[in-house]
Amino acid sequence: MYFWLQRCSICLDQTFSLCLESCRDQFCKDCFSRYIQETVNQSWGLGVTRIKCPVCQETIAQSEWSKYVSQDIIDKYNTYNQPYRPFSRYCSKCETPVAPCESPKAKGLSRESRLEQIADNLRLFSTRTNSNVTKTMVDDTLTSFLRSCQKGSTFRIGRVQELYNQIIPVLSKISLKQAGLYPLASTISKQLVALEVIPEAWKQTQFWHVANFPTETCTGCHDNLCLQCGESAHMGKSCLENLKLKLKTHDSDDDQMVSTIQWKLNHTYNEGCNKVDCLLCGYRFCWRCGSGWSAKTCVPDMHAIDARRQINP
């Protein structure tokens, strides 16, 4: 028994050379360093990956695990593990990254300032509508918004997403019929996303924005691109319709290719594992089994030992 108590908890071969301060589990430096590197190298999603002990799953403080890896690994972790890391696409023409949504901390604006901007833009949107019916719809939405956000009111968890689902469907419907209002409707949607301060909710809400307003202008070449598929903007056509049109142009009618690309258009990996977010609706599911994502039953494709522990807890 004493022999095994002196072994590394990962390889069970080498004598342990470090003991974690947080949970007291012990490892040899080579194994622990490789474990951290693998975890960091696969933590490129939009969320924050917590480095956990491979034995007990206790979260390890960065000040502790960073002692055993290079500065490059630490810099990579800091770059790709931000609480408000935005979804982005690279422009197909100039390779400039295009990120539609900003975090609540961007520009140093207070919640009150953001609420005032949204109200002002809703008023402007109302004046630019081309019919009394749509103007009434926007005015009613503005009145409801002002009543919900009057001075002194508190924002409980989920309130921003409720506001988003009350306002944006109305604006999106109008902008489809009146294309000139699309940029202003998209701006209001972004401003609502920036109101959300809970990182996970903010991430989900920005996917709603991409679903409602997929067309964005590249800051590099000023070309319009689709955030869902990464191609040039195709207003009035879905990503799949645009793809089929391109395939016809190239004299190709490979249905299997269309089906495969359709899946890739609508879905993207997140968290460097089997956790996937749908770009059209934000629905989170397991890439392996296809069901709704569950941390208890779905296994991240991360470190082999960590994966085995989740299969056999």
Side-chain angles (χ1 to χ4, degrees):
M1 178 62 73
Y2 178 79
F3 174 83
W4 295 111
L5 289 176
Q6 301 302 306
R7 302 297 106 181
C8 165
S9 296
I10 292 179
C11 67
L12 300 177
D13 183 30
Q14 300 296 319
T15 303
F16 78 90
S17 53
L18 68 94
C19 184
L20 296 179
E21 297 174 5
S22 55
C23 60
R24 311 308 296 172
D25 283 311
Q26 53 202 30
F27 311 94
C28 64
K29 287 185 178 180
D30 287 344
C31 283
F32 188 71
S33 177
R34 284 198 301 271
Y35 168 74
I36 298 299
Q37 289 180 43
E38 286 188 32
T39 304
V40 171
N41 285 333
Q42 297 189 51
S43 66
W44 46 264
L46 298 182
V48 176
T49 298
R50 304 296 180 189
I51 305 296
K52 297 180 179 180
C53 170
V55 175
C56 68
Q57 298 298 295
E58 180 86 14
T59 299
I60 309 171
Q62 184 171 348
S63 58
E64 185 172 7
W65 61 256
S66 60
K67 301 174 186 175
Y68 306 102
V69 292
S70 67
Q71 187 60 45
D72 288 343
I73 293 295
I74 298 171
D75 291 342
K76 181 180 288 187
Y77 179 85
N78 291 334
T79 299
Y80 294 103
N81 286 273
Q82 304 170 17
Y84 300 105
R85 182 166 173 249
F87 167 83
S88 62
R89 285 279 192 187
Y90 281 87
C91 176
S92 58
K93 291 188 176 180
C94 68
E95 297 297 321
T96 299
V98 179
C101 299
E102 61 184 25
S103 76
K105 299 179 181 180
K107 299 180 181 179
L109 295 174
S110 65
R111 174 179 287 171
E112 289 70 22
S113 297
R114 293 188 185 278
L115 291 173
E116 289 175 4
Q117 288 181 349
I118 294 171
D120 290 341
N121 282 329
L122 283 171
R123 294 188 186 97
L124 181 60
F125 193 96
S126 176
T127 61
R128 292 183 178 179
T129 55
N130 56 13
S131 74
N132 291 331
V133 175
T134 53
K135 187 178 187 305
T136 300
M137 290 171 60
V138 178
D139 288 342
D140 290 344
T141 301
L142 173 60
T143 301
S144 176
F145 173 76
L146 293 174
R147 189 184 303 117
S148 301
C149 304
Q150 58 186 336
K151 192 172 182 179
S153 60
T154 57
F155 267 62
R156 57 179 171 77
I157 295 176
R159 183 57 182 146
V160 172
Q161 291 188 329
E162 287 178 3
L163 285 173
Y164 190 95
N165 289 320
Q166 290 171 6
I167 296 172
I168 296 308
V170 176
L171 304 188
S172 179
K173 183 178 179 180
I174 295 173
S175 63
L176 287 175
K177 297 179 180 179
Q178 195 174 340
L181 290 176
Y182 185 96
L184 184 55
S186 178
T187 297
I188 295 172
S189 174
K190 294 175 189 176
Q191 291 171 332
L192 284 167
V193 173
L195 277 177
E196 184 59 75
V197 297
I198 301 173
E200 279 299 311
W202 178 86
K203 184 170 69 173
Q204 182 182 41
T205 310
Q206 76 163 338
F207 277 117
W208 292 351
H209 169 79
V210 172
N212 284 293
F213 302 100
T215 300
E216 190 69 26
T217 302
C218 172
T219 56
C221 63
H222 304 291
D223 185 44
N224 289 331
L225 74 153
C226 174
L227 294 170
Q228 291 180 329
C229 65
E231 298 288 334
S232 295
H234 42 81
M235 296 286 286
K237 295 186 184 71
S238 69
C239 295
L240 183 59
E241 289 171 341
N242 181 60
L243 174 64
K244 286 181 176 179
L245 184 62
K246 291 184 70 174
L247 289 174
K248 285 182 179 179
T249 304
H250 290 82
D251 298 321
S252 173
D253 57 353
D254 190 340
D255 292 336
Q256 182 61 38
M257 179 181 178
V258 173
S259 177
T260 301
I261 299 181
Q262 178 187 17
W263 175 263
K264 293 188 178 295
L265 286 174
N266 295 344
H267 306 93
T268 182
Y269 267 114
N270 185 21
E271 307 293 339
C273 66
N274 291 318
K275 187 190 296 184
V276 181
D277 286 315
C278 177
L279 288 179
L280 294 180
C281 66
Y283 176 65
R284 180 170 295 168
F285 63 97
C286 176
W287 183 270
R288 174 178 291 179
C289 67
S291 60
W293 177 260
S294 169
K296 294 182 179 179
T297 59
C298 298
V299 183
D301 187 12
M302 203 175 80
H303 191 281
I305 294 177
D306 191 28
R308 287 198 297 272
R309 289 188 177 279
Q310 294 191 46
I311 296 173
N312 301 303

